Amino acid sequence: MHIRLHKVKNNKGKGTMMSGGDQEPGHYYVGIDVGTGSVRAALVDQRGILLAFAERPIKKWEPQFNHHEQSSEDIWAACCHVTKKIVQGIDVHRIRGLGFDATCSLVVLDKQFHPLPVNHEGDSYRNIIMWLDHRAVSQVHRINKTKHDVLQYVGGVMSVEMQAPKLLWLKENLRETCWDKAGHFFDLPDFLSWKATGVTARSLCSLVCKWTYSAEKGWDDSFWKMIGLEDLIGDNYSKIGNLVLPPGTSLGSGLTPEAAKELGLPPGIAVAASLIDAHAGGLGVIGADVRGYGLVCEEQPVTSRLAVICGTSSCHMGISKDPIFVPGVWGPYFSAMVPGFWLNEGGQSVTGKLIDHMVQSHAAFPELQAKATARCQSIYAYLNSHLDLIKKAQPVGFLTVDLHVWPDFHGNRSPLADLTLKGMVTGLTLSQGLDDLAILYLATVQAIAFGTRFIIEAMQTAGHSLSTLFLCGGLSKNPLFVQMHADITGMPVVLSQEVESVLVGAAVLGACASGDFTSVQEAMARMSKVGKVVFPRREDKKYYDKKYQVFLKMVEHQKEYSAIMNGN
Ligand SMILES: Nc1ncnc2c1ncn2[C@@H]1O[C@H](COP(=O)(O)OP(=O)(O)O)[C@@H](O)[C@H]1O
Ligand SMILES: O=C(CO)[C@H](O)[C@H](O)COP(=O)(O)O
């Protein structure tokens, strides 16, 4: 198994020293981030500095098209593995709190908390329906047809990636092997906090964002009855959660002795009610002190900042004092990310996954791999330098003047909320070489950035006032991706000092649960820091405005094709 681990060197031989010569703060927090592809853990201090980091891949299964599954046992084992790694050689009694974040995948356990199969094969090891699973298409259509009031709070249309359609699918398809035996349905972040503490409380974040719970009114019985899941109402919603706590709240008596042993941490340390991964990324970046960087948002409220968490998917997190209803953009969700603020969450279901797909399925991929390996570079670093070579005197973005991509290979999450949409490419030639691959990669990166622009425009039209992007996640390590987001949206992009900002967000939760900070706002302001700002190249604006016109035309055309084919 692959493990990535780095530690700040200690020149005294014991403990962990700070970089930058500062005095070492006394308290540490552990953040655990479960992404789609891997689990990462970090040891973080009170200033949000990562002292140690470890990563381990997790298993994924795709037993049939649009079915994506994982294993809660595999994920928990990976959490234990990476956590043990990051605390090696440090005084664990300085660790004050633990916070988890994870993808919003659905974990199914029986009444004794044992895994249940979510598949026709009856394999109970695979007990997670992943967030990107699109098996429940028929169920979500029926849910949307109800036009129930709760749908207003998910952008008007429920996504197939949310939990209600997946629950309905389980009831309709795996009644005997799964549904009738199920005792607990958890969002993955809540499963992890239960595993660590034995407390089945759910985070307000997961229930509000993915389960139709209202921070003000609680569950709505009429919704569950209307969609045919009235059985979940019984026993005061015990199967899906009846104790709901704000993220960062300390759970029960903290880490249980059993979980402590597995994780290599002291029993009893504070464990926080958790967050979905995108929301943790939001906390990790959105509160940073931007003074001195020449950014307009320095003089503006925090509501002018849009956090964009870009991993397998991209999530666009904008907050507001009052609720804003943006058609096709999830929310408004009260207190789901920053307490006291409403959240709108735009998103693109596949971004990192799409880039990987386009590159890996091209005929020149083996050549790319061989050349990148020979230079000891990642394939993306190689592609970026190859684009620099072939662009000659023009800006790199201009290489796609006649190559355009529509990026919804896995449907459109925002702002069209249309899961039937597909990917499109126009401008293909007979070329199969590396130049062709590099330019297709560039056009894909640009298409994702145009998708972000499309989401921002929908949010601004509905009442958000956004000026600055705060990017994090795996794709924010790609300078081309970052520059294209700046150029295409026309907004400066702030990158954090800590590349692994999602883990800083998870550690913010642990720090709040420990009581070392009085609020999430205080912890996030103290622990998130600006690393670098990338400004848009204003001189290229005209070109990108034209490409954006093409981008919008592509979806219009796709809908026309569909109308032709579905007409008489
Ligand atoms: N150094 C890098 N350069 C370019 N792309 C990267 C880099 N690191 C990760 N990525 C891309 O980011 C995506 C994964 O991001 P990550 O945040 O790890 O995902 P997740 O949280 O969904 O597991 C992948 O598609 C990968 O190609
Ligand atoms: O729906 C989401 C957040 O609300 C995310 O898309 C999902 O959790 C997956 O995240 P990632 O792309 O970081 O793995």
Side-chain angles (χ1 to χ4, degrees):
M1 279 281 185
H2 158 82
I3 286 282
R4 194 148 56 88
L5 174 70
H6 64 72
K7 270 198 181 180
V8 178
K9 285 265 175 351
N10 175 357
N11 51 14
K12 285 193 190 141
K14 215 164 173 228
T16 307
M17 297 299 290
M18 307 302 312
S19 53
D22 297 355
Q23 202 190 344
E24 189 177 5
H27 295 168
Y28 302 152
Y29 314 101
V30 170
I32 300 180
D33 165 37
V34 179
T36 299
S38 66
V39 173
R40 309 115 197 174
L43 186 71
V44 180
D45 73 14
Q46 283 159 290
R47 296 171 310 171
I49 293 173
L50 261 73
L51 307 172
F53 169 85
E55 180 173 21
R56 188 174 169 99
I58 46 180
K59 295 187 179 116
K60 288 179 277 179
W61 291 267
E62 196 178 342
Q64 61 191 85
F65 181 62
N66 271 339
H67 288 226
H68 296 265
E69 296 170 7
Q70 282 182 322
S71 157
S72 63
E73 287 180 357
D74 174 57
I75 288 175
W76 180 251
C79 290
C80 297
H81 196 93
V82 288
T83 308
K84 279 188 178 142
K85 287 274 170 195
I86 57 159
V87 299
Q88 265 171 20
I90 68 130
D91 175 5
V92 289
H93 297 288
R94 294 170 114 187
I95 299 172
R96 302 259 306 153
L98 166 63
F100 292 97
D101 72 74
T103 63
C104 47
S105 301
L106 177 67
V107 184
V108 188
L109 303 179
D110 71 10
K111 293 176 182 84
Q112 287 75 44
F113 294 93
H114 298 132
L116 280 172
V118 295
N119 45 72
H120 292 293
E121 295 79 21
D123 180 357
S124 58
Y125 189 59
R126 287 156 35 206
N127 67 323
I128 297 181
I129 303 185
M130 290 179 74
W131 62 273
L132 78 169
D133 186 294
H134 281 193
R135 69 181 68 182
V137 171
S138 138
Q139 288 74 13
V140 84
H141 280 320
R142 280 178 272 142
I143 291 172
N144 282 319
K145 270 199 190 141
T146 66
K147 304 230 176 290
H148 193 281
D149 280 353
V150 297
L151 302 178
Q152 277 181 49
Y153 288 86
V154 291
V157 182
M158 181 167 285
S159 164
V160 68
E161 294 174 8
M162 291 181 174
Q163 309 300 16
K166 289 172 176 160
L167 291 165
L168 190 53
W169 186 93
L170 287 174
K171 183 172 177 179
E172 292 177 349
N173 292 275
L174 298 178
R175 181 122 201 179
E176 279 165 27
T177 52
C178 180
W179 184 258
D180 286 345
K181 292 183 182 163
H184 308 273
F185 297 103
F186 283 105
D187 221 84
L188 183 54
D190 295 330
F191 164 81
L192 296 169
S193 59
W194 162 73
K195 195 76 183 151
T197 62
V199 177
T200 57
R202 308 305 206 267
S203 162
L204 188 67
C205 172
S206 40
L207 288 203
V208 166
C209 297
K210 309 291 170 177
W211 298 71
T212 73
Y213 186 85
S214 157
E216 291 154 320
K217 299 184 216 145
W219 292 117
D220 187 328
D221 294 357
S222 67
F223 171 71
W224 296 103
K225 283 181 190 157
M226 197 179 263
I227 67 166
L229 288 181
E230 57 287 335
D231 19 0
L232 293 177
I233 302 171
D235 198 15
N236 189 24
Y237 288 95
S238 69
K239 287 188 182 173
I240 59 173
N242 52 23
L243 175 59
V244 187
L245 298 172
T249 308
S250 178
L251 293 172
S253 312
L255 198 60
T256 62
E258 191 190 348
K261 198 168 163 216
E262 290 175 333
L263 290 163
L265 296 173
I269 60 165
V271 179
S274 44
L275 277 173
I276 299 169
D277 53 357
H279 303 64
L283 286 195
V285 296
I286 211 168
D289 179 357
V290 296
R291 276 174 298 178
Y293 289 91
L295 289 163
V296 295
C297 70
E298 187 178 327
E299 306 299 330
Q300 295 169 336
V302 66
T303 49
S304 65
R305 304 174 180 198
L306 184 75
V308 190
I309 296 81
C310 332
T312 302
S313 61
S314 287
C315 302
H316 307 71
M317 323 296 280
I319 57 175
S320 57
K321 272 282 171 207
D322 297 309
I324 300 178
F325 292 84
V326 190
V329 171
W330 294 345
Y333 301 134
F334 186 63
S335 275
M337 188 173 85
V338 182
F341 284 84
W342 291 84
L343 170 73
N344 284 106
E345 177 180 349
Q348 294 162 286
S349 288
V350 289
T351 52
K353 190 173 170 69
L354 175 64
I355 296 172
D356 296 347
H357 169 81
M358 295 298 258
V359 170
Q360 289 166 16
S361 56
H362 194 279
F365 181 61
E367 183 189 345
L368 167 66
Q369 267 186 314
K371 288 189 166 156
T373 309
R375 273 212 224 150
C376 297
Q377 275 184 322
S378 79
I379 51 170
Y380 296 112
Y382 188 92
L383 282 173
N384 292 350
S385 55
H386 191 79
L387 285 168
D388 273 336
L389 270 182
I390 60 178
K391 76 182 170 64
K392 303 205 173 80
Q394 63 183 341
V396 73
F398 288 29
L399 284 167
T400 54
V401 68
D402 53 8
L403 184 70
H404 311 279
V405 173
W406 176 262
D408 290 334
F409 285 53
H410 198 50
N412 182 282
R413 195 189 276 182
S414 310
L416 300 173
D418 182 349
L419 71 89
T420 67
L421 288 177
K422 306 275 190 294
M424 297 165 86
V425 183
T426 167
L428 296 172
T429 69
L430 282 176
S431 167
Q432 295 191 330
L434 204 50
D435 289 3
D436 184 73
L437 165 52
I439 296 171
L440 185 61
Y441 153 74
L442 170 64
T444 306
V445 169
Q446 289 174 328
I448 293 166
F450 284 121
T452 292
R453 176 166 165 179
F454 197 18
I455 291 167
I456 291 172
E457 286 183 1
M459 291 177 78
Q460 307 267 47
T461 305
H464 279 274
S465 183
L466 302 164
S467 69
T468 312
L469 306 184
F470 288 68
L471 254 61
C472 66
L475 286 169
S476 69
K477 296 175 196 163
N478 182 343
L480 180 78
F481 185 89
V482 174
Q483 188 65 55
M484 286 301 131
H485 271 69
D487 294 350
I488 286 170
T489 63
M491 290 184 184
V493 176
V494 177
L495 298 174
S496 290
Q497 191 175 303
E498 290 296 351
V499 183
E500 304 293 340
S501 309
V502 181
L503 281 164
V504 174
V508 161
L509 295 175
C512 289
S514 73
D516 288 352
F517 295 97
T518 53
S519 65
V520 168
Q521 276 95 330
E522 188 200 351
M524 72 180 202
R526 294 269 290 277
M527 292 173 72
S528 59
K529 290 184 181 56
V530 177
K532 186 179 170 189
V533 179
V534 176
F535 288 95
R537 288 168 48 94
R538 302 271 175 218
E539 60 276 28
D540 298 349
K541 183 176 181 315
K542 222 165 138 189
Y543 169 79
Y544 289 117
D545 284 347
K546 286 198 266 182
K547 264 190 82 80
Y548 186 53
Q549 274 183 47
V550 176
F551 178 80
L552 296 177
K553 279 259 179 259
M554 286 177 90
V555 71
E556 211 178 291
H557 292 165
Q558 183 174 154
K559 287 179 180 168
E560 282 173 24
Y561 305 157
S562 168
I564 293 168
M565 295 310 294
N566 294 317
N568 292 322

